[in-house]
């Protein structure tokens, strides 16, 4: 099993799973663009209800961690889910893994896993929550015990106080799955704190 995780709005973080992992990363990894952290104005999304159990579990997993951090719960937005689904499908179809280069004005967390197993929504979101171990409260981008904000970028986007809406999509092909989540307003903004 090998897992890849891409961070908040920009940088890319790679984590390896069990000992059966490949020695080198697969060819579908693409570095994030330098524009990925540029904030673009976007209209606020319309609140909707998750349309299926997976979406509901993804939202619940987000909000459980936000509750632990003391930040307000996120609300689901079908417009963000639709954006996330388009990008997740693109990543699966092209066999790449990178942040959306379009200046869509939303935060983005990505996750991918492969190796012939199925991950639960809680496990996928749990990968982002696990970054909390390296998080230190501070002004972004100085929020990581490692000195690299990208080591905690998923976590900070997930708990970012000013983000009010989320929409996520999971796409699968063969033994690979991709989770894409979009957040509005975006988090990981230089000069601000997560909460």
């Amino acid at each position: 099993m090998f897992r890849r995780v891409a961070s908040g709005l920009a940088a890319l973080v790679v984590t390896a799973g069990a000992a059966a992992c490949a020695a080198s990363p697969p060819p579908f990894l693409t570095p994030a663009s330098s524009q990925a952290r540029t904030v673009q104005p976007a209209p606020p999304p319309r609140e909707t209800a998750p349309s299926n159990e997976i979406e509901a579990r993804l939202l619940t997993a987000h909000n459980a961690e936000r509750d632990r951090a003391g930040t307000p719960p996120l609300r689901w937005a079908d417009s963000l889910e639709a954006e996330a689904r388009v990008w997740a499908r693109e990543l699966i179809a092209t066999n790449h893994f990178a942040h959306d280069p379009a200046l869509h004005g939303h935060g983005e967390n990505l996750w991918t896993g492969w190796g012939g197993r199925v991950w639960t929504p809680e496990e996928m979101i749990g990968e982002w929550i696990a970054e909390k171990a390296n998080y230190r409260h501070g002004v972004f981008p100085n929020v990581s015990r490692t000195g690299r904000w990208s080591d905690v970028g998923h976590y900070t986007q997930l708990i970012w106080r000013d983000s009010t809406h989320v929409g996520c999509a999971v796409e699968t092909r063969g033994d690979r799955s991709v989770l894409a989540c979009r957040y509005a307003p975006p988090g990981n903004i230089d000069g601000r704190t997560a909460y």
Side-chain angles (χ1 to χ4, degrees):
M1 165 180 52
F2 200 86
R3 289 178 285 217
R4 292 193 174 279
V5 184
S7 168
L9 291 172
L12 199 55
V13 179
V14 179
T15 60
C21 295
S24 62
F28 58 75
L29 179 64
T30 304
S33 75
S34 60
Q35 293 181 332
R37 287 180 52 210
T38 303
V39 178
Q40 300 295 318
R46 177 177 61 89
E47 182 178 343
T48 56
S51 63
N52 62 44
E53 179 189 353
I54 299 297
E55 292 176 356
R57 289 171 63 187
L58 289 166
L59 180 61
T60 297
H62 274 84
N63 285 335
E65 184 60 29
R66 288 176 68 87
D67 184 58
R68 285 188 285 276
T71 57
L74 293 170
R75 296 179 303 275
W76 193 262
D78 57 1
S79 60
L80 294 174
E81 180 271 329
E83 276 186 26
R85 183 157 316 281
V86 167
W87 189 242
R89 285 181 177 161
E90 173 74 13
L91 294 175
I92 285 286
T94 61
N95 202 33
H96 283 87
F97 190 65
H99 283 284
D100 186 347
L103 299 177
H104 48 73
H106 299 122
E108 180 177 74
N109 272 354
L110 299 174
W111 174 94
T112 191
W114 61 95
R117 67 162 287 204
V118 175
W119 287 270
T120 67
E122 295 79 13
E123 288 172 320
M124 290 183 270
I125 300 298
E127 292 279 332
W128 299 337
I129 294 170
E131 295 174 358
K132 180 179 182 176
N134 286 322
Y135 175 73
R136 69 177 173 90
H137 193 67
V139 175
F140 198 85
N142 302 311
V143 293
S144 176
R145 289 183 172 91
T146 68
R148 294 180 306 271
W149 75 264
S150 58
D151 290 345
V152 298
H154 295 98
Y155 178 71
T156 52
Q157 173 57 82
L158 192 147
I159 63 163
W160 199 265
R161 176 178 301 282
D162 294 335
S163 293
T164 59
H165 291 80
V166 67
C168 302
V170 178
E171 291 292 325
T172 300
R173 178 183 286 172
D175 72 344
R176 181 172 176 232
S177 295
V178 170
L179 166 65
C181 292
R182 296 280 173 97
Y183 302 84
N188 295 348
I189 308 296
D190 287 351
R192 298 186 189 171
T193 58
Y195 62 92

